[in-house]
Amino acid sequence: MKAAPEAQKRLLDLAELDTSLDRVRHRRRTLPDLAEIDELSKRLARLATQVIAAETEAGDLARDQAKAESDVDAVRVRVDRDTKRLDSGQVSSPKDLASLQSEITSLRRRQSDLEEVVLEIMERREAADAQVESLRSERDKVTGTLRAAEERRDAAFAEIDKEAGELTGGRTAITADIPADLLALYEKLREQSGVGAAMLHGGRCLGCRTTLSIADLNRIRAAAHDEVVRCEECRRILVRTAESGL
């Protein structure tokens, strides 16, 4: 393949710019905020599940408390009703009086037991409500931290994308100076090794840092100025300049 020496030298400008583009893209992919956002998002999802579970438990306890209090009220109504009957003197039969007194005693024990249940449920509900509030507070805190991290990410992305856009514009200008077949070879080599062209400097390929043999240097010396030569070690395009040591 042949190409004008100036066109070949433009490959060095292109390689330098592509290296800068690769750094910019790598910076975008490895932005520290991305890992933080991922971890915070997972944590927020776990908290959302925990909040729902805690709210469900608190809601169940609220219903249990309401039912237990209703049972207490029902028993209290019966105790009041039977006590009024007992105090009114309407029951005169000793047997009926004994039965009524026994029922009142039994109902009062039942009321006491139910009131203990209500107190137990109230304590559990208080703890559940506190857990709900704690989880909600933590969720809100994580949400705020996540939003801040997302804002930092977006600001960094905007800066990086601007830089990438400027580099891409410069790349377009450079590729316009390079023949299509030479550019195609460069792009193919770049896909394979990350760098498509390197300078021959002082007898060394700056792509793979290999010092060329005398035979390879003699081969390159003998090549026409517009001949596209390659490094035998890394196969990159070798660009000859006044500093090549030929």
Side-chain angles (χ1 to χ4, degrees), residues 115-130:
E115 287 171 346
E116 287 294 328
V117 170
V118 170
L119 287 174
E120 179 188 353
I121 294 174
M122 287 176 65
E123 290 175 356
R124 290 170 56 198
R125 183 184 176 187
E126 182 178 349
D129 288 341

Side-chain angles (χ1 to χ4, degrees), residues 96-159:
D96 291 342
L97 281 172
S99 176
L100 186 57
Q101 288 173 336
S102 176
E103 181 179 356
I104 291 173
T105 300
S106 177
L107 286 171
R108 283 176 174 164
R109 280 198 304 267
R110 173 63 175 162
Q111 179 180 339
S112 178
D113 291 342
L114 287 173
E115 287 171 346
E116 287 294 328
V117 170
V118 170
L119 287 174
E120 179 188 353
I121 294 174
M122 287 176 65
E123 290 175 356
R124 290 170 56 198
R125 183 184 176 187
E126 182 178 349
D129 288 341
Q131 178 71 356
V132 169
E133 289 305 313
S134 175
L135 287 170
R136 285 175 176 170
S137 177
E138 185 177 0
R139 178 194 61 190
D140 293 344
K141 181 179 178 181
V142 172
T143 297
T145 305
L146 175 59
R147 296 293 174 264
E150 289 174 337
E151 289 176 2
R152 291 195 304 273
R153 175 204 61 191
D154 293 343
F157 274 179
E159 181 180 345

